[in-house]
Amino acid sequence: MRKKDDEKQRCIKTAVVELILKEGFQGASISKIARAAGVSPATVYIYYENKDAMLRDIYQEYAEDTFQYLLESLHPNMAGEQIIEELIRSYYSYIVENEEIFHFVEQFSTCPALQSNCGFMKGPGNLNQLLTELKRRQILNNYSNDNLYAILFSPVKTIAVKKCDSEEAAMDRLDELITIIQKALIRGY
Amino acid sequence: MRKKDDEKQRCIKTAVVELILKEGFQGASISKIARAAGVSPATVYIYYENKDAMLRDIYQEYAEDTFQYLLESLHPNMAGEQIIEELIRSYYSYIVENEEIFHFVEQFSTCPALQSNCGFMKGPGNLNQLLTELKRRQILNNYSNDNLYAILFSPVKTIAVKKCDSEEAAMDRLDELITIIQKALIRGY
Amino acid sequence: MRKKDDEKQRCIKTAVVELILKEGFQGASISKIARAAGVSPATVYIYYENKDAMLRDIYQEYAEDTFQYLLESLHPNMAGEQIIEELIRSYYSYIVENEEIFHFVEQFSTCPALQSNCGFMKGPGNLNQLLTELKRRQILNNYSNDNLYAILFSPVKTIAVKKCDSEEAAMDRLDELITIIQKALIRGY
Amino acid sequence: MRKKDDEKQRCIKTAVVELILKEGFQGASISKIARAAGVSPATVYIYYENKDAMLRDIYQEYAEDTFQYLLESLHPNMAGEQIIEELIRSYYSYIVENEEIFHFVEQFSTCPALQSNCGFMKGPGNLNQLLTELKRRQILNNYSNDNLYAILFSPVKTIAVKKCDSEEAAMDRLDELITIIQKALIRGY
DNA sequence: GATGAATGAGAGTTCATTCAT
DNA sequence: TATGAATGAACTCTCATTCAT
């Protein structure tokens, strides 16, 4: 017998994300995906139970990857402002460097009909732990985790997708945002 | 006669938004929409050129409505902190009260493939004017409009869709968020 | 709006029966059926909920027709031997003249998986009534209806599909069968 | 080594017959059959040339088995009525005890498209010989073999698949059928 | 204006079969 | 021999859209 070919599954994942950026969920049909991935439509069903499961699985993997990416950017004994800067800056660069993946994850997560069938993810829990810990260590102001999370990650998302006139202007804008958020969240700043 | 037409179109709009919340873009077919709206599939094509145009038109109307709703909440001679409070609070209540519409707009606007064909909208321009004016009047700190916009509206969006244990806790969280943002953006706060 | 076209549904029915004789259930795909019927595959779904329902509905109609055909061949005051002769002879000619329909009905009814989802049919009840009545009037021997039914209709089915050397030989064989069954079932023959 | 092969082929045969009873020809795909038989789809092709050949071969084996079973039930010097009783009774019990096989054979043999490709079978010939012999020995009435065959075997088939209220009632019905047929076919009864 | 019938195209999925091990 | 991976073709069914009334 032949062994399952991880390369094939990787191609499928890539094709899904590419196609969904280019054409939206509507245009990402199994046959287009298969063609883009260089496999037969039937092959997709060797790796995923059905289309919904495929999208869900790929979403969850990429979503977890994102959290992983963020948490890995932190070092144990960073100062509070460094932590904030690093989190925001790495999220920003993640979005810029993984535009397709980011948009796929965003589209998926803004669709309640898709989101509702998703299983457990550990990324959010880890981040919550981090935030709680930073408050305990009196690094961050004692705001609710929901608000800390919202302020740390949603504005940067907004500006990362909004194209600037120049690369330089974009950097200035990011620096400014970091400063604003550091002042807002760090204890006794 | 005029009356009846508008009624049908309203039904279609409502059906679209409902269905897309419940089933996502994938499940919102013309025939389902027509059935939910109580009209014939052919009737949809009297009011809209085709499906894409329909979604785009409905999106644009609702998106403009949202900006309109926000700007209407402001009174000419409010203090800076009141302006911020009011913008955030009304956006929050708009999301909560128009859950279906909000999700439809969000899904649409996170999909580059859809977004790209959208025409001109005046809401963003008006808001930009407002922010520029508030900076000129030295009410807001002199941050870039992108950042002001991002901090004002994206965190509230994040928390508005994240269900809280109780209504009360949600209100506390919202109050907290408003305070954080007021401190961050208002000059000399 | 257009009105439903009964002609179309008739074409579909005919095509189904033809194709199933020629290619068996396996070869009777919706697209082949549609092509043979001169309609679009989608049109089939206007007249039938799905493929299973289509086959079931068509089967039930034809099966009822058969019973109807048999019962209509009888006149009120026939003698017992005439009744038997007529039932057997008309079933025989029905099979010969409606070969396609007969084979479709037979294939369907020998498949438990299909048969199990079938609804109520009134033909069998009517025939049972007839048999019971003929026993009450002391025309037929007092055998169980199951046996009467089995002897009356299954041997003729068997010989009707078994081709003979000549038309004449087939008729002789049929006459012989009728005589055998008359002797076996008619009281005091 | 030989042993193991036969075991696999037996599993496949059993799986085919089971699946076709449960789901009909439509639902009996090679992969389902393989799964039910506990082998790989590819393995099926070691034992059978292709799907059609597989069904045909299995059908022919089982069909021949049935004839064999019937003829084996007879003893050389049975009286005419015993022969008839034994043939009918053993066919009846065969059907009841081998429900799946019986239905598979029936479905197959009522489908002209399948039947047409079948090769030579010796069972029917043997039975014809027997009937001819019984007529020559003046045990059976001098009816055509087709009619003798039809009356002997098709009514019992009909009642064997028609469930009765009780086991006892079924036996009574069978006894009655035997009597009717004995009277109808045995010379000078 | 409004409709349900009608459709070709294409959706997701499974098929019988072959390949590589 | 025996396998699970792989596939192009074909499956059932729904789609967005148009037609005829």
Short mmCIF file of all heavy atoms in Angstrom, two decimals, chain E residues 9-21:
data_model
loop_
_atom_site.label_atom_id
_atom_site.label_comp_id
_atom_site.label_asym_id
_atom_site.label_seq_id
_atom_site.Cartn_x
_atom_site.Cartn_y
_atom_site.Cartn_z
P DA E 9 -24.01 24.34 -20.08
OP1 DA E 9 -23.28 25.17 -21.04
OP2 DA E 9 -24.02 22.86 -20.19
"O5'" DA E 9 -23.53 24.73 -18.60
"C5'" DA E 9 -23.90 26.00 -18.07
"C4'" DA E 9 -23.43 26.09 -16.63
"O4'" DA E 9 -24.40 25.47 -15.75
"C3'" DA E 9 -22.11 25.36 -16.38
"O3'" DA E 9 -21.33 26.17 -15.51
"C2'" DA E 9 -22.53 24.06 -15.71
"C1'" DA E 9 -23.77 24.51 -14.93
N9 DA E 9 -24.73 23.43 -14.68
C8 DA E 9 -25.10 22.42 -15.52
N7 DA E 9 -26.00 21.60 -15.02
C5 DA E 9 -26.23 22.11 -13.75
C6 DA E 9 -27.08 21.70 -12.70
N6 DA E 9 -27.89 20.64 -12.77
N1 DA E 9 -27.08 22.43 -11.57
C2 DA E 9 -26.26 23.51 -11.50
N3 DA E 9 -25.43 24.00 -12.42
C4 DA E 9 -25.46 23.23 -13.53
P DG E 10 -19.82 25.83 -15.23
OP1 DG E 10 -19.09 27.10 -15.27
OP2 DG E 10 -19.41 24.67 -16.06
"O5'" DG E 10 -19.87 25.33 -13.72
"C5'" DG E 10 -20.49 26.17 -12.74
"C4'" DG E 10 -20.85 25.32 -11.56
"O4'" DG E 10 -21.86 24.36 -11.92
"C3'" DG E 10 -19.66 24.48 -11.03
"O3'" DG E 10 -19.48 24.81 -9.67
"C2'" DG E 10 -20.12 23.05 -11.19
"C1'" DG E 10 -21.64 23.20 -11.17
N9 DG E 10 -22.34 22.09 -11.77
C8 DG E 10 -22.12 21.52 -13.00
N7 DG E 10 -22.92 20.51 -13.25
C5 DG E 10 -23.70 20.42 -12.11
C6 DG E 10 -24.75 19.51 -11.78
O6 DG E 10 -25.19 18.59 -12.47
N1 DG E 10 -25.28 19.77 -10.53
C2 DG E 10 -24.86 20.77 -9.69
N2 DG E 10 -25.48 20.87 -8.53
N3 DG E 10 -23.89 21.63 -9.97
C4 DG E 10 -23.36 21.39 -11.20
P DA E 11 -18.17 24.46 -8.93
OP1 DA E 11 -17.50 25.74 -8.70
OP2 DA E 11 -17.46 23.35 -9.61
"O5'" DA E 11 -18.75 23.93 -7.57
"C5'" DA E 11 -19.66 24.74 -6.84
"C4'" DA E 11 -20.56 23.86 -5.99
"O4'" DA E 11 -21.46 23.18 -6.86
"C3'" DA E 11 -19.81 22.76 -5.25
"O3'" DA E 11 -19.43 23.27 -3.99
"C2'" DA E 11 -20.88 21.69 -5.09
"C1'" DA E 11 -21.80 21.92 -6.29
N9 DA E 11 -21.65 20.96 -7.38
C8 DA E 11 -20.83 21.07 -8.47
N7 DA E 11 -20.94 20.07 -9.29
C5 DA E 11 -21.88 19.25 -8.71
C6 DA E 11 -22.44 18.02 -9.09
N6 DA E 11 -22.10 17.39 -10.22
N1 DA E 11 -23.37 17.47 -8.28
C2 DA E 11 -23.70 18.11 -7.16
N3 DA E 11 -23.25 19.26 -6.69
C4 DA E 11 -22.33 19.79 -7.53
P DG E 12 -18.21 22.55 -3.30
OP1 DG E 12 -17.85 23.40 -2.15
OP2 DG E 12 -17.18 22.21 -4.30
"O5'" DG E 12 -18.88 21.22 -2.77
"C5'" DG E 12 -19.89 21.32 -1.77
"C4'" DG E 12 -20.42 19.95 -1.45
"O4'" DG E 12 -20.84 19.31 -2.67
"C3'" DG E 12 -19.40 19.01 -0.81
"O3'" DG E 12 -20.06 18.25 0.19
"C2'" DG E 12 -18.93 18.14 -1.98
"C1'" DG E 12 -20.18 18.07 -2.84
N9 DG E 12 -19.88 17.94 -4.27
C8 DG E 12 -19.06 18.73 -5.03
N7 DG E 12 -18.99 18.37 -6.28
C5 DG E 12 -19.82 17.27 -6.36
C6 DG E 12 -20.14 16.45 -7.48
O6 DG E 12 -19.74 16.55 -8.64
N1 DG E 12 -21.02 15.43 -7.13
C2 DG E 12 -21.52 15.24 -5.87
N2 DG E 12 -22.36 14.21 -5.71
N3 DG E 12 -21.24 16.00 -4.82
C4 DG E 12 -20.38 16.99 -5.14
P DT E 13 -19.23 17.25 1.11
OP1 DT E 13 -19.95 17.06 2.37
OP2 DT E 13 -17.81 17.68 1.12
"O5'" DT E 13 -19.34 15.89 0.28
"C5'" DT E 13 -20.65 15.33 0.05
"C4'" DT E 13 -20.52 14.14 -0.84
"O4'" DT E 13 -20.05 14.52 -2.14
"C3'" DT E 13 -19.53 13.08 -0.37
"O3'" DT E 13 -20.28 12.01 0.17
"C2'" DT E 13 -18.73 12.69 -1.62
"C1'" DT E 13 -19.50 13.38 -2.74
N1 DT E 13 -18.70 13.83 -3.91
C2 DT E 13 -18.87 13.20 -5.11
O2 DT E 13 -19.62 12.26 -5.27
N3 DT E 13 -18.11 13.70 -6.13
C4 DT E 13 -17.22 14.75 -6.07
O4 DT E 13 -16.61 15.11 -7.07
C5 DT E 13 -17.10 15.37 -4.79
C7 DT E 13 -16.16 16.53 -4.61
C6 DT E 13 -17.83 14.89 -3.78
P DT E 14 -19.56 10.72 0.72
OP1 DT E 14 -20.47 10.14 1.71
OP2 DT E 14 -18.15 11.02 1.05
"O5'" DT E 14 -19.57 9.76 -0.56
"C5'" DT E 14 -20.80 9.50 -1.18
"C4'" DT E 14 -20.56 8.59 -2.36
"O4'" DT E 14 -19.82 9.29 -3.39
"C3'" DT E 14 -19.75 7.33 -2.02
"O3'" DT E 14 -20.46 6.25 -2.60
"C2'" DT E 14 -18.40 7.59 -2.68
"C1'" DT E 14 -18.80 8.45 -3.88
N1 DT E 14 -17.78 9.37 -4.44
C2 DT E 14 -17.58 9.40 -5.79
O2 DT E 14 -18.18 8.69 -6.56
N3 DT E 14 -16.63 10.30 -6.21
C4 DT E 14 -15.88 11.15 -5.42
O4 DT E 14 -15.07 11.91 -5.92
C5 DT E 14 -16.16 11.08 -4.00
C7 DT E 14 -15.41 11.96 -3.07
C6 DT E 14 -17.07 10.20 -3.59
P DC E 15 -19.96 4.80 -2.43
OP1 DC E 15 -21.15 3.98 -2.16
OP2 DC E 15 -18.81 4.76 -1.52
"O5'" DC E 15 -19.48 4.47 -3.91
"C5'" DC E 15 -20.41 4.71 -4.97
"C4'" DC E 15 -19.74 4.48 -6.31
"O4'" DC E 15 -18.91 5.61 -6.61
"C3'" DC E 15 -18.81 3.28 -6.32
"O3'" DC E 15 -19.53 2.20 -6.85
"C2'" DC E 15 -17.70 3.69 -7.27
"C1'" DC E 15 -17.78 5.20 -7.35
N1 DC E 15 -16.65 5.94 -6.75
C2 DC E 15 -15.71 6.51 -7.58
O2 DC E 15 -15.83 6.36 -8.80
N3 DC E 15 -14.71 7.22 -7.03
C4 DC E 15 -14.64 7.36 -5.70
N4 DC E 15 -13.64 8.08 -5.19
C5 DC E 15 -15.59 6.77 -4.83
C6 DC E 15 -16.57 6.07 -5.39
P DA E 16 -18.92 0.73 -6.65
OP1 DA E 16 -20.05 -0.20 -6.85
OP2 DA E 16 -18.12 0.68 -5.43
"O5'" DA E 16 -17.93 0.61 -7.89
"C5'" DA E 16 -18.43 0.72 -9.21
"C4'" DA E 16 -17.28 0.68 -10.19
"O4'" DA E 16 -16.34 1.73 -9.87
"C3'" DA E 16 -16.48 -0.62 -10.17
"O3'" DA E 16 -16.01 -0.87 -11.50
"C2'" DA E 16 -15.33 -0.30 -9.22
"C1'" DA E 16 -15.10 1.19 -9.49
N9 DA E 16 -14.66 1.94 -8.31
C8 DA E 16 -15.12 1.81 -7.03
N7 DA E 16 -14.55 2.62 -6.16
C5 DA E 16 -13.66 3.34 -6.93
C6 DA E 16 -12.75 4.37 -6.61
N6 DA E 16 -12.60 4.86 -5.38
N1 DA E 16 -12.01 4.87 -7.62
C2 DA E 16 -12.17 4.38 -8.85
N3 DA E 16 -12.99 3.42 -9.28
C4 DA E 16 -13.71 2.94 -8.26
P DT E 17 -15.21 -2.22 -11.75
OP1 DT E 17 -15.47 -2.61 -13.14
OP2 DT E 17 -15.44 -3.18 -10.64
"O5'" DT E 17 -13.72 -1.69 -11.66
"C5'" DT E 17 -13.30 -0.62 -12.51
"C4'" DT E 17 -11.97 -0.08 -12.06
"O4'" DT E 17 -12.07 0.53 -10.76
"C3'" DT E 17 -10.83 -1.10 -11.91
"O3'" DT E 17 -9.95 -0.92 -13.03
"C2'" DT E 17 -10.15 -0.76 -10.60
"C1'" DT E 17 -10.76 0.61 -10.26
N1 DT E 17 -10.80 0.93 -8.82
C2 DT E 17 -10.01 1.95 -8.35
O2 DT E 17 -9.28 2.61 -9.07
N3 DT E 17 -10.10 2.20 -7.00
C4 DT E 17 -10.89 1.52 -6.09
O4 DT E 17 -10.89 1.83 -4.91
C5 DT E 17 -11.70 0.46 -6.64
C7 DT E 17 -12.60 -0.34 -5.74
C6 DT E 17 -11.61 0.23 -7.96
P DT E 18 -8.64 -1.79 -13.19
OP1 DT E 18 -8.38 -1.89 -14.64
OP2 DT E 18 -8.73 -3.00 -12.34
"O5'" DT E 18 -7.53 -0.84 -12.57
"C5'" DT E 18 -7.34 0.45 -13.15
"C4'" DT E 18 -6.21 1.15 -12.44
"O4'" DT E 18 -6.56 1.37 -11.05
"C3'" DT E 18 -4.90 0.38 -12.43
"O3'" DT E 18 -3.87 1.32 -12.75
"C2'" DT E 18 -4.80 -0.16 -11.00
"C1'" DT E 18 -5.49 0.95 -10.22
N1 DT E 18 -6.11 0.58 -8.92
C2 DT E 18 -5.82 1.35 -7.83
O2 DT E 18 -5.08 2.32 -7.86
N3 DT E 18 -6.45 0.96 -6.67
C4 DT E 18 -7.30 -0.10 -6.51
O4 DT E 18 -7.80 -0.34 -5.42
C5 DT E 18 -7.56 -0.86 -7.68
C7 DT E 18 -8.48 -2.04 -7.61
C6 DT E 18 -6.96 -0.49 -8.83
P DC E 19 -2.39 0.84 -13.01
OP1 DC E 19 -1.92 1.56 -14.22
OP2 DC E 19 -2.29 -0.63 -12.90
"O5'" DC E 19 -1.65 1.50 -11.75
"C5'" DC E 19 -1.98 2.84 -11.41
"C4'" DC E 19 -1.23 3.23 -10.16
"O4'" DC E 19 -1.94 2.74 -9.00
"C3'" DC E 19 0.17 2.64 -10.08
"O3'" DC E 19 1.04 3.69 -9.68
"C2'" DC E 19 0.06 1.55 -9.03
"C1'" DC E 19 -1.07 2.04 -8.15
N1 DC E 19 -1.91 0.98 -7.52
C2 DC E 19 -2.21 1.03 -6.15
O2 DC E 19 -1.74 1.96 -5.48
N3 DC E 19 -2.98 0.07 -5.61
C4 DC E 19 -3.47 -0.91 -6.38
N4 DC E 19 -4.25 -1.83 -5.79
C5 DC E 19 -3.21 -0.97 -7.78
C6 DC E 19 -2.42 -0.02 -8.31
P DA E 20 2.63 3.52 -9.82
OP1 DA E 20 3.16 4.82 -10.26
OP2 DA E 20 2.93 2.28 -10.57
"O5'" DA E 20 3.06 3.31 -8.30
"C5'" DA E 20 2.59 4.24 -7.31
"C4'" DA E 20 3.01 3.77 -5.94
"O4'" DA E 20 2.12 2.71 -5.49
"C3'" DA E 20 4.41 3.19 -5.86
"O3'" DA E 20 4.93 3.60 -4.60
"C2'" DA E 20 4.20 1.69 -5.93
"C1'" DA E 20 2.88 1.54 -5.20
N9 DA E 20 2.04 0.42 -5.64
C8 DA E 20 1.95 -0.11 -6.89
N7 DA E 20 1.09 -1.11 -6.97
C5 DA E 20 0.58 -1.23 -5.69
C6 DA E 20 -0.37 -2.08 -5.11
N6 DA E 20 -1.00 -3.03 -5.80
N1 DA E 20 -0.64 -1.90 -3.79
C2 DA E 20 -0.01 -0.94 -3.11
N3 DA E 20 0.90 -0.07 -3.55
C4 DA E 20 1.15 -0.28 -4.85
P DT E 21 6.43 3.23 -4.18
OP1 DT E 21 7.02 4.43 -3.57
OP2 DT E 21 7.09 2.55 -5.32
"O5'" DT E 21 6.15 2.19 -3.04
"C5'" DT E 21 5.28 2.56 -1.96
"C4'" DT E 21 4.96 1.34 -1.14
"O4'" DT E 21 4.12 0.45 -1.88
"C3'" DT E 21 6.19 0.53 -0.73
"O3'" DT E 21 6.25 0.49 0.68
"C2'" DT E 21 5.94 -0.85 -1.32
"C1'" DT E 21 4.43 -0.86 -1.47
N1 DT E 21 3.87 -1.78 -2.47
C2 DT E 21 2.88 -2.67 -2.09
O2 DT E 21 2.44 -2.72 -0.96
N3 DT E 21 2.42 -3.48 -3.08
C4 DT E 21 2.83 -3.52 -4.40
O4 DT E 21 2.34 -4.31 -5.19
C5 DT E 21 3.87 -2.58 -4.74
C7 DT E 21 4.41 -2.54 -6.14
C6 DT E 21 4.34 -1.76 -3.77
#
